[in-house]
Amino acid sequence: MLDAFTEFFRQLAADYPRWNFIFFYQEVQAGKIWLGIKYTIFLSIACLMFSVIIGVVGAWLQGSKLRLLRAVVQGYIQLFRNTPPFVQLLFFYFALGQLTPTYSPDGWLEVPIISNVGWAIISLSFFAGAFNVEIFRSGIEAVPESTIEAADSLGMSRLQIYRYVVLPLAFRVSLPALNNNLVNLIKTTTQAFAIAVPELLYQAVTIWNDYPSAQYPAMLLLFVVYVGLVGIMVFGMNRWERKLRIPGYGN
C-alpha cells in the first residue's frame, strides 16, 4: 500500500513536473516536513500555555492597589499590542539575544543560553499575552460585584477570591474571545521562520528552494496543515466552552 502511494506521486511528478509532491516519495524531504510539523505543534502549544498564564496573572495585577504595578501592566499591554509581532520577534532575537550569556558545550563552540526556538516562544507568548490580559480583564468585569462581596464576607483574601471565585467565572465569559486570539497565535507562529526556527514554513521553503517544482505542492501542504491545526483548536475550544457553560450565567 505504501509503495503504491509513493509510486503514484513519483509518477505524478514525472507526468506533471509543476506538481512534484517530493515529500511523499523521498524520505529525506518527508523527514523535513514531519520535523516542521513537530516544531509547529510544539511552538503552538508552548505559546498558548505561556500566553494564557501571562493573561491570567496580568489581569489579576491590573486590580492591584499599587499604582506603579498597574502602570507597568498597562505599559506592557500598550507596547505589545501596538507594535507588529514580527518586529517584536526580531527585537527579542537580534537585540536582546546579543545580551544573553553563552556557554560552550564542547569547549570551542559558543552557544547562547536561549536558542532561536526559545526566543520565538518568549516573543510570541508576550505578544498574545497582552491581548489575553485584556480578554481576562473584560471577563473579570463581567463577574457580578455581589458575588465578589459575598466571597469577601466569608473572609477570603484577594488572591483566594480571584483564584476560586472570579477567575472560574471570568474564564467562562472570556472563552469566545480567547478562542479567537489563540487561533490567531497559531497562525502567527509562522513568523518564527524569520529567525530560522525549523517549523513547517521554514522546512517548506528549504524544500522548494532545492526543488522549485515542489513549490506549489509545498504551499498546498502548508495550507492544509494549518487548516487542520486551526480546525482542531476551534473544535476543542468550542467543546470546552460548552462543557464549562453554567446554565443562566452570562446571558
Side-chain angles (χ1 to χ4, degrees), residues 160-176:
Q160 288 175 323
I161 294 174
Y162 182 73
R163 179 180 177 184
Y164 297 113
V165 179
V166 175
L167 184 59
L169 295 175
F171 193 78
R172 288 165 167 82
V173 177
S174 304
L175 269 178

Side-chain angles (χ1 to χ4, degrees), residues 1 11-12 17 30 38 56 63 77 80 84 116-117 125 140 154 168 179 187 241:
M1 180 66 72
Q11 187 60 42
L12 180 67
K38 289 178 182 178
V56 170
I77 293 171
F80 282 87
N116 55 347
V117 177
S125 296
I140 291 171
L154 294 175
N179 187 6
K187 296 182 290 185
E241 183 180 347

Side-chain angles (χ1 to χ4, degrees), residues 82-100:
N82 298 325
T83 52
F86 186 69
V87 174
Q88 295 170 18
L89 181 66
L90 296 181
F91 173 78
F92 271 96
Y93 183 68
F94 290 107
L96 296 185
Q98 300 300 317
L99 303 178
T100 55

Side-chain angles (χ1 to χ4, degrees), residues 104-139:
S104 180
D106 56 6
W108 296 92
L109 182 65
E110 291 293 328
V111 179
I113 290 178
I114 303 177
S115 66
N116 55 347
V117 177
W119 282 120
I121 293 173
I122 292 171
S123 174
L124 296 175
S125 296
F126 274 115
F127 168 70
F131 290 89
N132 288 345
V133 171
E134 290 294 278
I135 290 172
F136 284 118
R137 181 187 60 81
S138 64

